[in-house]
Amino acid sequence: MLLYIARRFFLMIVILFLVSIMVFGLINIIPGDPASLMLGQEATPQALASLRQNLGLNDPLYLQYIHWVGGVLQGNLGYSLSDHTPVLNILLSKIPVTLELTIFAFLLAVLIAVPAGIISAVHKGSVWDYVTTVFALSGVSIPAFWLGILLIYLLSLTLGWLPPSGYVAFAQNPVRNIILMIMPSIALGIRLSAQLTRMLRSSLLEVMQSDYIRTGYAKGLLEKAVVFKHALRNAMLPVLTVAGLELSSFLGGAVITETIFAVPGLGQLIVNAILTRDFPVVQGAILFMAFAVVIVNFLVDIAYSLLDPRISLGGASK
């Protein structure tokens, strides 16, 4: 088990190293001069040359990368070109907002997917099964941005039930915070709920055909006991994998969702930073999102091995 975790951890470090190279390289090939953005278009050539020298922009790219990575390892992600605020401070102010949206959307997806998947599998061929199948197919097919616009039109503009956009911190007004988070959470979480429903249904149907399930029924066990105590645990293994991967993609989906609903999280920060060519902010935000994705996948691997010890034993024996 420890060897399995060590191998996964080493792989995570390698992936983060490769991601840092990609982020640094992609940002540096984007047209635009950071010195001109900081000093303005009317700056003198002498001032621009001096600032480029101070920022290290005249150094070779590999030296710029080494200096940047060294700063990242020390918690220094640079400074925003727009207001010279440390990028780390900007990220720390935006991360809780995106994290809150991610948690709400994930909880919503699980609360919908688990009962829907179980009912659909246990009552295969029933009306509930067909309803669940239609929901799953629709949820996977509808883009998040279109669903967000549709929710605003129906629930806000037409019915007037919810405010169209905005954000209030939970500590400031918990009720208002939850109300404003309802539509973004639905727009972000409905796709995950649909995918988890389909995966749980197919996985549970497969497990229900196993010999030990038929043995449980033969012993006179109630259907509830067979499903929840025996079948569901094994059926959750592939579902856990899908949930972990999709949870990682929430950070990418949050870019669109936060922009539509004016939620001031990482997604909206990246969009605004790209539009203003604030390269240090873009670098820091993308690097953090990549780090979060890798960490989530690492934790999913560990959880997977705990649910199925054969995985860690297999990884350790190689």
Side-chain angles (χ1 to χ4, degrees), residues 56-230:
L57 299 178
N58 295 328
D59 296 335
L61 281 180
Y62 73 91
L63 285 180
Q64 294 184 39
Y65 172 76
I66 293 175
H67 293 156
W68 177 66
V69 170
V72 169
L73 295 177
Q74 298 176 7
N76 179 16
L77 299 178
Y79 295 86
S80 171
L81 299 181
S82 59
D83 56 7
H84 307 289
T85 304
V87 174
L88 182 60
N89 293 347
I90 298 176
L91 294 180
L92 291 178
S93 67
K94 303 296 183 180
I95 289 173
V97 180
T98 298
L99 184 61
E100 179 186 4
L101 176 59
T102 300
I103 291 175
F104 281 175
F106 186 76
L107 290 177
L108 176 66
V110 172
L111 290 176
I112 294 175
V114 172
I118 293 175
I119 293 174
S120 180
V122 173
H123 302 285
K124 180 182 178 182
S126 65
V127 175
W128 288 108
D129 185 24
Y130 290 121
V131 171
T132 302
T133 302
V134 172
F135 161 75
L137 293 176
S138 302
V140 174
S141 305
I142 297 176
F145 74 90
W146 188 86
L147 180 59
I149 296 174
L150 181 62
L151 289 173
I152 292 175
Y153 177 76
L154 292 177
L155 300 182
S156 181
L157 300 181
T158 303
L159 301 176
W161 291 352
L162 296 170
S165 61
Y167 177 79
V168 175
F170 185 84
Q172 181 179 349
N173 190 333
V175 176
R176 183 69 176 175
N177 172 270
I178 294 176
I179 291 175
L180 289 171
M181 279 293 181
I182 292 177
M183 287 198 295
S185 300
I186 295 175
L188 188 60
I190 205 71
R191 180 181 178 85
L192 176 60
S193 66
Q195 290 181 327
L196 293 183
T197 299
R198 294 179 61 191
M199 179 60 68
L200 181 58
R201 178 185 182 276
S202 61
S203 179
L204 194 57
L205 284 175
E206 182 180 354
V207 172
M208 293 290 287
Q209 303 300 319
S210 302
D211 292 337
Y212 70 92
I213 297 297
R214 289 193 289 267
T215 302
Y217 279 120
K219 289 182 178 180
L221 295 178
L222 297 176
E223 184 178 55
K224 182 184 298 184
V226 173
V227 172
F228 287 96
K229 290 186 178 181
H230 301 283

